[in-house]
């Protein structure tokens, strides 16, 4: 019996060779880098995946290369319905669709299928080759047996794994392995390692820098019982055939690098370059210490969080950009009119130890992003969001789109625009008082501030409406407020007031606050003149009368 006989017995239908595949998927002729993101369809899009996608996308775009998506669905236990759709919906939403991908039955690109479960035969060509050259073998060890070995290794404080003396099936003769496969015993395929754990090798990661790693000596699994490859093997085959030049993936894969290096070397394939992205860190609310953002503890670890709360996609991207490259914020300040798409990603400017991500920062960025939108743009985006997530906002926009746009336009499109909305979810809370029905139905806590005597407030409001109300233009409005101030014994000039407050009942600021609170119940609001113009005399009168 030869290795070839064993390979034919295990994979009888595989007749293609690696050379055949190379002809089918020739080396790419592309000027720039080839990057990919390889999400698993688990029904959850982690913020770390988004941050890797941004890097992949930038590298490919900056270099005139190719960015593709490969769906890693070889773990059938973790597969969830509609998860692939969630991945593509998220990428579309963020305008990060790749150059090559496979969605439903549409394949875009010549290196597909881009879904691993559809590439079974391709992997098996490589597996068969390894069995033929004696570098892979069937392993019949049961789960119980492997558990028992692991427990023993742990008990004696040994490295766990299937290596050296523990790689029992490696020692089987070809004849015996052949017989056992033939007899229908369950098996998986393991790689036969030639490495020595005591030897170290150097590895240069584009972000992590030079690493010193032990050689792999584990006979790790490359093909599972269902005929699909493990991650390690799929990484080799796919990134080789699909021509990936830079692998961007999480730093949790560094410990598997020795396996990958040995696999690539065994086949004589060039290793791609790697960027192992540092974890996204956050400050723990309880301990105040930095820790990895966690799927279990932090809702903001999921991309769906941003969608549900109505953060503009650009704000999420900008906040991730600040942890992707340490010079991004400076660049952005120096080039306020440029888009993040103009920024050139540099792996050397990425912190190797982990970027600090915080929601307060996102909120600030988001306020700026929203403040720069035109009223039409904000209305459209908010409406799209509201259709799925906020019936109240949708209803307000449907009621009168122009009126809504006029409200959100207050202090917009000016040198220092107002920054009071961080997410679409905040809008109703910011503008409800501009709608009479909401104004009447809400429980209001009038925040009167300095002047809080009921009689005095009534007097200010009545005198204003009787004698000084004028919203023809901003100057007339302002003069009206000033004259009211003077008539009632308050000081219209803030400088004079501050010099000797005891001379006056209060200042023009106190009077404005009364006028503002009477309309909005809040002491802070957008421009009062604009609010008055939108409400109009009758509605203002009605509100003031009811105070
Ligand atoms: N499916 C792997 C993951 O989600 C991809 C790792 C890689 O990019 O190679 O972690």
């Amino acid at each position: 019996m030869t290795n070839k006989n064993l390979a034919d017995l295990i994979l009888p239908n595989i007749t293609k060779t690696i050379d055949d595949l190379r002809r089918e998927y020739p080396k790419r002729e592309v000027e720039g880098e080839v990057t990919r993101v390889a999400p698993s369809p688990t029904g959850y899009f982690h913020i770390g995946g988004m941050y890797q996608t941004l890097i992949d996308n930038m590298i490919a775009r900056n270099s005139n290369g190719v960015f593709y998506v490969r769906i890693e669905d070889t773990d059938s236990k973790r597969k969830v319905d509609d998860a692939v759709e969630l991945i593509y919906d998220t990428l579309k939403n963020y305008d990060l669709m790749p150059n090559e991908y496979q969605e439903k039955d549409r394949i875009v690109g010549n290196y597909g299928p881009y879904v691993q479960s559809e590439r079974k035969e391709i992997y098996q060509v490589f597996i068969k080759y390894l069995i033929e050259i004696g570098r892979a073998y069937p392993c019949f060890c049961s789960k119980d047996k492997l558990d028992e070995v692991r427990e023993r290794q742990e008990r004696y404080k040994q490295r766990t794994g299937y290596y050296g003396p523990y790689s029992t099936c490696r020692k089987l003769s070809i004849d015996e392995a052949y017989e056992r496969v033939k007899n229908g015993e369950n098996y998986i395929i393991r790689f036969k390692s030639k490495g020595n754990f005591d030897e170290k090798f150097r590895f240069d990661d584009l972000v992590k820098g030079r690493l010193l790693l032990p050689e792999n000596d584990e006979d790790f699994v490359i093909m599972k019982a269902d005929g699909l490859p493990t991650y390690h093997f799929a990484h080799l085959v796919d990134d080789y055939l699909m021509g990936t030049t830079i692998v961007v993936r999480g730093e949790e894969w560094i410990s598997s690098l020795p396996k990958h290096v040995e696999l690539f070397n065994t086949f004589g394939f060039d290793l791609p370059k790697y960027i192992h992205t540092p974890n996204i860190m956050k400050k723990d609310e309880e301990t105040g210490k930095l820790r990895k953002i966690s799927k279990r503890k932090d809702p903001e670890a999921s991309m769906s969080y941003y969608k549900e709360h109505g953060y503009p996609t650009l704000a999420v991207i900008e906040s991730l950009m600040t942890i992707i490259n340490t010079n991004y914020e400076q660049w952005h300040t120096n080039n306020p009119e440029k888009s993040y798409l103009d920024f050139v990603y540099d792996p050397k400017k990425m912190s190797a130890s982990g970027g600090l991500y915080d929601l307060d920062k996102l909120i600030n960025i988001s306020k700026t992003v929203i403040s720069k939108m035109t009223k039409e743009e904000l209305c459209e985006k908010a409406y799209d969001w509201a259709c799925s997530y906020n019936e109240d906002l949708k209803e307000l926009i449907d009621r009168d789109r122009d009126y809504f746009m006029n409200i959100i336009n207050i202090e917009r499109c000016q040198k220092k625009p107002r920054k009071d909305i961080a997410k679409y979810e905040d809008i109703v809370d910011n503008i409800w008082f501009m709608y009479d029905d909401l104004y009447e139905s809400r429980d209001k806590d009038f925040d009167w501030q300095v002047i809080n005597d009921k009689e005095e407030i009534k007097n200010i409001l009545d005198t204003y409406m009787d004698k000084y109300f004028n919203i023809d233009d901003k100057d007339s409005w302002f003069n009206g407020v000033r004259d009211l101030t003077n008539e009632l014994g308050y000081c219209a000039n803030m400088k004079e007031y501050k010099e000797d407050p005891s001379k006056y009942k209060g200042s023009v600021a106190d009077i404005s606050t009364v006028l503002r609170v009477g309309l909005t119940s809040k002491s802070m609001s957008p421009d009062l003149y604009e609010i008055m113009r939108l409400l109009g005399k009758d509605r203002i009168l009605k509100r003031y009368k009811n105070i």
Side-chain angles (χ1 to χ4, degrees):
M1 251 344 126
T2 62
N3 285 320
K4 173 94 179 65
N5 299 134
L6 182 60
D8 284 338
L9 176 69
I10 291 174
L11 296 166
N13 299 325
I14 299 299
T15 50
K16 275 189 193 168
T17 64
I18 296 176
D19 284 344
D20 294 336
L21 288 173
R22 189 74 286 193
R23 275 189 287 278
E24 269 175 60
Y25 302 103
K27 239 178 138 114
R28 286 177 188 266
E29 307 228 347
V30 49
E31 188 187 320
E33 306 288 355
V34 180
T35 60
R36 88 298 189 275
V37 67
S40 301
T42 58
Y44 184 93
F45 202 123
H46 194 274
I47 189 163
M50 179 50 75
Y51 141 93
Q52 283 151 8
T53 303
L54 274 169
I55 299 173
D56 283 316
N57 193 283
M58 273 189 281
I59 294 176
R61 193 160 15 84
N62 295 158
S63 66
N64 245 332
V66 171
F67 164 50
Y68 70 91
V69 169
R70 180 172 73 227
I71 302 293
E72 302 216 324
D73 62 344
T74 55
D75 188 350
S76 42
K77 287 197 278 313
R78 292 174 70 209
K79 244 194 260 185
V80 172
D81 284 352
D82 300 335
V84 174
E85 258 155 293
L86 172 79
I87 293 167
Y88 286 116
D89 281 352
T90 311
L91 296 180
K92 279 179 200 150
N93 192 22
Y94 282 83
D95 221 352
L96 286 169
M97 276 301 274
N99 307 101
E100 297 176 11
Y101 60 97
Q102 177 171 345
E103 192 188 10
K104 305 207 177 87
D105 39 16
R106 205 163 91 94
I107 298 189
V108 179
N110 298 326
Y111 287 81
Y114 295 89
V115 175
Q116 288 185 331
S117 57
E118 295 176 27
R119 299 172 62 79
K120 194 166 174 175
E121 268 99 63
I122 296 180
Y123 302 118
Q124 292 185 346
V125 170
F126 290 75
I127 302 266
K128 189 164 186 182
Y129 169 77
L130 279 187
I131 303 173
E132 280 171 8
I133 63 163
R135 290 301 304 275
Y137 60 89
C139 168
F140 307 92
C141 293
S142 65
K143 187 177 174 302
D144 285 352
K145 168 151 192 230
L146 294 173
D147 286 348
E148 195 188 296
V149 171
R150 187 167 15 85
E151 272 162 33
R152 200 153 12 104
Q153 288 170 328
E154 280 167 357
R155 192 158 357 106
Y156 293 107
K157 308 241 171 324
Q158 276 167 332
R159 193 155 51 86
T160 55
Y162 204 85
Y163 61 91
Y166 304 106
S167 49
T168 344
C169 291
R170 178 184 178 129
K171 295 167 198 99
L172 298 176
S173 68
I174 300 177
D175 288 353
E176 189 174 344
Y178 189 95
E179 277 314 304
R180 290 176 73 171
V181 171
K182 205 161 170 229
N183 290 340
E185 260 189 64
N186 293 332
Y187 65 91
I188 44 91
I189 302 292
R190 287 184 185 274
F191 176 63
K192 192 186 275 182
S193 170
K194 284 193 179 167
N196 176 352
F197 186 76
D198 296 325
E199 292 287 331
K200 299 246 187 316
F201 68 98
R202 290 201 186 115
F203 185 88
D204 290 315
D205 182 275
L206 297 185
V207 164
K208 295 278 177 181
R210 178 152 290 186
L211 307 168
L212 198 60
L213 300 166
E215 281 182 14
N216 171 64
D217 66 347
E218 278 182 58
D219 284 0
F220 56 91
V221 180
I222 51 178
M223 189 176 99
K224 298 179 284 184
D226 58 7
L228 283 168
T230 53
Y231 168 78
H232 310 302
F233 202 73
H235 161 45
L236 163 92
V237 173
D238 291 343
D239 287 312
Y240 167 67
L241 283 181
M242 295 174 158
T244 311
T245 60
I246 303 189
V247 169
V248 179
R249 63 182 182 188
E251 66 180 351
E252 67 276 14
W253 292 109
I254 290 181
S255 59
S256 308
L257 260 174
K259 294 188 176 71
H260 306 157
V261 170
E262 196 184 2
L263 277 178
F264 274 84
N265 288 343
T266 303
F267 282 91
F269 299 158
D270 289 340
L271 270 173
K273 288 171 272 180
Y274 288 84
I275 288 179
H276 285 95
T277 55
N279 289 322
I280 298 184
M281 310 295 282
K282 74 169 273 179
K283 206 177 198 170
D284 187 275
E285 273 132 38
E286 276 162 33
T287 65
K289 293 212 179 88
L290 288 194
R291 63 165 173 80
K292 199 171 123 177
I293 200 161
S294 135
K295 183 170 168 177
R296 198 169 45 82
K297 290 191 200 154
D298 308 311
E300 74 270 28
S302 164
M303 289 313 292
S304 60
Y305 173 86
Y306 306 95
K307 193 164 187 204
E308 281 156 21
H309 290 280
Y311 282 97
T313 51
L314 182 59
V316 180
I317 290 180
E318 297 269 353
S319 73
L320 287 173
M321 289 299 293
T322 65
I323 53 173
I324 285 176
N325 265 181
T326 48
N327 57 329
Y328 182 75
E329 269 176 288
Q330 193 56 51
W331 177 88
H332 193 52
T333 314
N334 297 345
N335 301 281
E337 297 316 317
K338 286 199 175 162
S339 143
Y340 86 96
L341 296 169
D342 299 316
F343 178 78
V344 177
Y345 166 75
D346 179 357
K348 289 194 208 70
K349 300 242 166 59
M350 182 158 200
S351 150
S353 54
L356 177 62
Y357 181 75
D358 88 70
L359 277 181
D360 289 340
K361 190 160 179 184
L362 169 67
I363 287 171
N364 278 329
I365 293 176
S366 199
K367 283 180 175 168
T368 303
V369 166
I370 290 186
S371 76
K372 286 187 183 159
M373 292 179 188
T374 60
K375 62 178 181 192
E376 289 83 5
E377 198 182 348
L378 175 55
C379 178
E380 195 183 314
K381 292 198 154 111
Y383 188 76
D384 279 354
W385 174 81
C387 286
S388 310
Y389 297 101
N390 192 321
E391 191 46 50
D392 293 347
L393 177 59
K394 178 181 181 301
E395 192 271 321
L396 290 184
I397 301 176
D398 279 337
R399 220 191 259 192
D400 186 340
R401 217 178 173 93
D402 287 338
Y403 183 65
F404 174 81
M405 283 203 278
N406 286 336
I407 299 170
I408 57 170
N409 202 37
I410 299 179
E411 292 178 69
R412 180 169 298 280
C413 289
Q414 57 189 45
K415 202 146 177 249
K416 278 202 162 170
R418 200 178 160 79
K419 297 185 180 180
D420 50 356
I421 305 172
K423 41 193 179 340
Y424 309 133
E425 186 184 61
D426 299 342
I427 295 179
V428 175
D429 259 355
N430 267 272
I431 65 166
W432 57 268
F433 53 81
M434 297 304 289
Y435 294 88
D436 294 335
D437 53 336
L438 297 186
Y439 178 85
E440 270 148 35
S441 62
R442 284 223 176 184
D443 282 339
K444 291 178 291 298
D445 190 9
F446 288 93
D447 187 16
W448 292 113
Q449 307 273 316
V450 179
I451 308 172
N452 55 18
D453 175 75
K454 212 70 220 227
E455 285 307 307
E456 182 66 355
I457 289 170
K458 273 240 139 283
N459 185 30
I460 293 170
L461 298 178
D462 289 346
T463 315
Y464 180 61
M465 291 315 282
D466 284 349
K467 294 164 77 175
Y468 299 108
F469 176 80
N470 186 337
I471 50 170
D472 292 346
D473 55 63
K474 191 133 193 187
D475 282 344
S476 315
W477 173 81
F478 183 79
N479 292 340
V481 176
R482 186 199 55 207
D483 295 346
L484 169 75
T485 306
N486 286 332
E487 175 176 333
L488 299 179
Y490 291 77
C491 182
N493 181 314
M494 286 311 285
K495 199 160 156 255
E496 283 169 20
Y497 177 69
K498 278 185 191 138
E499 276 162 17
D500 189 358
S502 66
K503 282 198 346 220
Y504 311 93
K505 282 161 78 181
S507 76
V508 66
D510 302 326
I511 294 286
S512 309
T513 298
V514 171
L515 299 179
R516 183 188 308 277
V517 178
L519 289 183
T520 66
S521 81
K522 305 172 186 208
S523 56
M524 306 269 269
S525 81
D527 188 85
L528 182 57
Y529 165 70
E530 298 289 346
I531 289 179
M532 286 192 173
R533 276 189 68 90
L534 282 178
L535 289 176
K537 187 165 186 180
D538 294 346
R539 292 166 69 197
I540 296 174
L541 201 58
K542 192 166 170 220
R543 290 191 189 184
Y544 283 169
K545 280 229 149 66
N546 287 328
I547 293 293

